[in-house]
Amino acid sequence: MQFYKKREFGAFISDSFNFFKLYGKNYFKNYILINGLLLTLTIAVVIFGFREIFGQLIGSNVGGESYYFERYFSENAGMLIVSAILIFILFALLMIINYLYPVFYLKRITEGAQKVKTDEILGDFKKNAGRIAKMGIGMLFLVLPVMMILLGFSYLLMFIIIGFFLMLLFYPTAFNVSAFLMYDYFNTKRGFIESLSYSIRSQFSYPNGNEKSPYWKYWGASIIMFIIMYMITSVFTLIPMFFFYGSLLTTTPNGNFEENPFAGVAGVIFFIFYGFSMLASLLLSNLMYINAGLMYYDSRTDLHQKVELEEIETIGINE
């Protein structure tokens, strides 16, 4: 599969699926080996931790106590603070691996590897630990605040309808900029700011400036992947919602269920499905990241001719 080449809108979609046909078994094998424990812990937190919090939230004030929910938090402040810190660390590690695993995997494949070993990917994480830390700081204190401001501005404009169209443009563009930033930062020797600059500029023009803007094909490919991901994960989200509201409508009122509807079998089943929905989202997000990688390689026109020349030389050697 050729990675460094110009692609049209449809090619991004088809080649993303072709990638998993060719490398999917090896890709997800390494993904599970590297990320399996974090995924399991995250789902466990969602099922058991969030079930308790949502149960307290919904069941508050049932007994006529005005500050039931606030009292619950004040009585368990220490445990909740420690839990929040652990959850933050857990989710941060999960996001780092989910974002960077496709970057390191694709980098090795483009360098000629047919199969990638788990130790090689882990070695890439260790070797780039310093750059990963710098990227995390840059994303947290520079990229994220700017995106939150733009997001908030788009929400405000929802009142005059134009905000809806801005949101439709903003989400895929923000995702593409973030993905291009990570691909460029770990595929080149550029600094964080340089890669961020490239990731923004490459959304709107190619380096030579003589070709038409790639923005709409990048935006369109991301939108399609978002829709595919949303439709599949919605199945896991709708099932527990139907089950939960069905329980509310069919259960005989006895005070206990109304006080904490997430307690018992119904609550466990609801959050198990919610956990599966989260797992499906994380797995399917790899399709989006690989699609973003193909878009990044499309933008690197400086490497297209180099790869083509190397392929021609290889043909000459084989003959």
Side-chain angles (χ1 to χ4, degrees), residues 11 23 47 73 86 97 124 126 149 152 159 171-172 175 199 208-209 246 248-249 262 266 269 277 300 302 317 319:
Y23 304 103
I47 293 174
F73 271 84
L86 291 175
I97 294 175
D124 290 335
K126 292 177 183 178
I149 292 171
F159 293 106
Y171 272 113
F175 174 81
S199 68
N208 57 27
L248 286 176
L249 294 172
F262 292 114
I269 292 176
S277 174
R300 291 295 305 276
D302 57 313
I317 293 171
E319 291 178 350

Side-chain angles (χ1 to χ4, degrees), residues 193-213:
I193 299 298
E194 290 177 293
S195 290
L196 177 59
S197 174
Y198 176 82
S199 68
I200 296 172
R201 287 184 286 106
S202 60
Q203 300 302 308
F204 303 98
S205 64
Y206 285 106
N208 57 27
N210 296 324
E211 301 173 79
K212 67 178 182 179
S213 172

Side-chain angles (χ1 to χ4, degrees), residues 52-217:
E52 174 67 16
I53 293 174
F54 279 113
Q56 294 293 335
L57 178 63
I58 291 179
S60 62
N61 300 325
V62 169
E65 301 178 31
S66 302
Y67 301 100
Y68 179 84
F69 191 57
E70 291 84 347
R71 189 183 63 165
Y72 171 78
F73 271 84
S74 64
E75 291 176 353
N76 299 276
M79 180 194 70
L80 291 170
I81 290 172
V82 173
S83 300
I85 293 172
L86 291 175
I87 290 171
F88 174 79
I89 295 172
L90 177 66
F91 274 83
L93 289 173
L94 187 67
M95 289 301 101
I96 287 171
I97 294 175
N98 271 276
Y99 269 108
L100 296 185
Y101 172 75
V103 175
F104 292 142
Y105 189 94
L106 270 181
K107 187 174 186 292
R108 287 196 169 271
I109 292 295
T110 56
E111 290 173 350
Q114 295 299 315
K115 285 189 176 181
V116 180
K117 297 179 180 178
T118 306
D119 291 342
E120 293 174 335
I121 298 293
L122 289 174
D124 290 335
F125 275 100
K126 292 177 183 178
K127 183 175 66 177
N128 291 282
R131 289 177 70 82
I132 291 173
K134 291 177 183 177
M135 185 203 68
I137 293 171
M139 293 289 288
L140 185 62
F141 293 104
L142 182 61
V143 177
L144 187 60
V146 173
M147 287 187 175
M148 292 301 293
I149 292 171
L150 293 174
L151 180 64
F153 181 69
S154 299
Y155 268 120
L156 288 175
L157 291 178
M158 291 283 281
F159 293 106
I160 55 175
I161 302 179
I162 192 174
F164 172 78
F165 298 102
L166 288 177
M167 293 287 288
L168 196 60
L169 291 173
F170 175 76
Y171 272 113
T173 304
F175 174 81
N176 289 342
V177 168
S178 299
F180 274 48
L181 168 59
M182 284 176 284
Y183 274 102
D184 193 72
Y185 189 59
F186 292 102
N187 277 274
T188 67
K189 295 182 179 180
R190 295 185 179 118
F192 181 84
I193 299 298
E194 290 177 293
S195 290
L196 177 59
S197 174
Y198 176 82
S199 68
I200 296 172
R201 287 184 286 106
S202 60
Q203 300 302 308
F204 303 98
S205 64
Y206 285 106
N208 57 27
N210 296 324
E211 301 173 79
K212 67 178 182 179
S213 172
Y215 177 80
W216 291 111
K217 67 178 182 180

